[in-house]
């Protein structure tokens, strides 16, 4: 009987490891998608942007795999306490990572349009925003793999940096459009791109909160981090 119980526990641990591996794979793809989407803007490479758009389906497939596998675990294993939190964490993370992939795809779509018109000066800010968001995604995935609640909390706090960069760019683009109406088209696409990066930061924040709860069994300490006014007037990318 003891051997059977040990086998069941071992088998469940292997299933949790498989679930974690899928999440790590999703995270790696989402990070890569963002890097490529930003590069397609910097290099004005519409072919690369198209690859990002087409590759998004790989993340969608992995999300469905996580959903199916997690539901199966919940139904057959009926996990409790920490094991239950691990499964629920995977479900939540897969949703946020899928949304990050969608936002990277939206950036790539905007890049294809932006690459067909003359570049504008503020486009140089986008790589900096993208690099920061990419670093945050990498760090939050490391926190997940390492089971590091403190690292997750540090990542959570860094989202304010993305918000500040977005608000600064928003004001710059607004001024740029007012100075010359010919800049409106390019600037509008830039606003959509910047907003998508800002939303990627928000999803990374969600992931950090989920990881913290998974490890500590409690929510992150409440810290007031209000959005600045500019964000409230921002355009919002429609869902596909």
């Amino acid at each position: 009987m003891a051997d059977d119980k040990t086998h069941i526990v071992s088998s469940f641990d292997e299933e949790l490891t498989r679930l974690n591996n899928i999440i790590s794979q999703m995270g790696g793809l989402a990070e890569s998608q963002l890097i490529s989407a930003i590069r397609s803007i910097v290099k004005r490479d519409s072919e690369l942007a198209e690859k990002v758009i087409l590759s998004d389906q790989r993340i969608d497939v992995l999300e469905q795999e996580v959903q199916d596998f997690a539901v199966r675990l919940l139904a057959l294993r009926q996990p409790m306490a920490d094991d239950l939190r691990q499964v629920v964490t995977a479900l939540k993370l897969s949703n946020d990572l899928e949304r990050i992939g969608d936002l990277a795809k939206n950036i790539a779509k905007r890049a294809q349009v932006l690459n067909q018109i003359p570049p504008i000066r503020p486009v140089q800010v986008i790589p900096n925003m993208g690099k920061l968001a990419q670093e945050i995604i990498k760090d939050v995935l490391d926190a997940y793999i390492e089971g590091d609640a403190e690292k997750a909390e540090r990542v959570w706090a860094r989202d304010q940096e993305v918000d500040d960069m977005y608000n600064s760019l928003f004001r710059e683009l607004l001024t740029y459009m007012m100075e010359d109406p010919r800049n409106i088209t390019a600037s509008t696409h830039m606003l959509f791109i910047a907003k998508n990066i800002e939303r990627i930061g928000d999803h990374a924040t969600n992931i950090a909160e989920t990881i913290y709860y998974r490890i500590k069994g409690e929510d992150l300490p409440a810290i007031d981090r209000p959005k600045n006014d500019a964000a409230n007037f921002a355009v919002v990318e429609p869902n596909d």
Side-chain angles (χ1 to χ4, degrees), residues 165-227:
M165 291 182 74
Y166 170 73
N167 290 326
S168 176
L169 179 60
F170 179 91
R171 288 188 290 269
E172 183 178 0
L173 286 170
L174 200 60
T175 301
Y176 207 58
M177 287 187 281
M178 291 172 65
E179 288 175 350
D180 188 344
R182 291 174 297 182
N183 294 324
I184 290 175
T185 298
S187 296
T188 300
H189 288 297
M190 288 284 292
L191 279 175
F192 275 116
I193 289 169
K195 184 60 181 177
N196 281 323
I197 297 174
E198 190 264 345
R199 289 172 66 193
I200 285 173
D202 289 342
H203 283 287
T205 296
N206 292 344
I207 292 173
E209 291 173 352
T210 301
I211 292 169
Y212 188 93
Y213 182 80
R214 147 76 185 90
I215 298 167
K216 296 287 192 177
E218 59 186 28
D219 294 331
L220 268 165
I223 300 176
D224 186 20
R225 264 188 346 184
K227 297 280 186 179

Side-chain angles (χ1 to χ4, degrees), residues 6-181:
T6 300
H7 174 73
I8 291 171
V9 171
S10 175
S11 177
F12 183 59
D13 287 342
E14 290 172 0
E15 289 171 328
L16 287 177
T17 297
R18 178 186 168 192
L19 195 59
N20 290 337
N21 288 340
I22 301 172
I23 291 295
S24 296
Q25 188 179 356
M26 279 190 76
L29 284 173
E31 182 184 354
S32 176
Q33 287 282 87
L34 174 60
I35 292 171
S36 294
I38 298 299
R39 185 176 295 138
S40 73
I41 299 170
V42 176
K43 302 293 186 181
R44 296 179 68 82
D45 188 340
S46 294
E47 289 186 7
L48 179 58
E50 184 65 20
K51 289 179 182 178
V52 172
I53 294 167
L54 296 175
S55 297
D56 179 62
Q57 187 176 1
R58 295 164 61 195
I59 299 179
D60 295 341
V61 169
L62 286 174
E63 185 202 21
Q64 189 60 55
E65 187 175 345
V66 170
Q67 301 287 325
D68 294 343
F69 193 54
V71 168
R72 176 178 170 274
L73 282 179
L74 291 172
L76 298 181
R77 298 296 190 180
Q78 298 182 355
M80 303 286 287
D82 184 64
D83 290 339
L84 178 60
R85 287 205 301 272
Q86 286 196 58
V87 178
V88 173
T89 293
L91 282 168
K92 289 184 175 181
L93 263 59
S94 69
N95 180 68
D96 279 306
L97 290 170
E98 190 274 335
R99 288 298 302 133
I100 288 174
D102 284 346
L103 291 165
K105 179 178 69 174
N106 288 343
I107 291 170
K109 287 180 177 180
R110 294 284 170 181
Q112 287 182 321
V113 178
L114 203 57
N115 292 345
Q116 304 307 311
I117 55 181
I120 59 174
R121 186 176 64 250
V123 76
Q124 299 170 2
V125 179
I126 291 297
N128 295 331
M129 278 191 73
K131 185 175 186 297
L132 178 57
Q134 180 262 325
E135 289 174 355
I136 289 174
I137 293 172
K138 180 183 181 301
D139 287 347
V140 83
L141 290 172
D142 287 346
Y144 174 69
I145 293 169
E146 298 164 9
D148 190 333
E150 285 69 30
K151 180 176 285 188
E153 187 171 3
R154 290 195 297 273
V155 171
W156 180 85
R158 288 196 71 189
D159 180 56
Q160 183 63 53
E161 298 176 43
V162 180
D163 294 342
D164 290 343
M165 291 182 74
Y166 170 73
N167 290 326
S168 176
L169 179 60
F170 179 91
R171 288 188 290 269
E172 183 178 0
L173 286 170
L174 200 60
T175 301
Y176 207 58
M177 287 187 281
M178 291 172 65
E179 288 175 350
D180 188 344

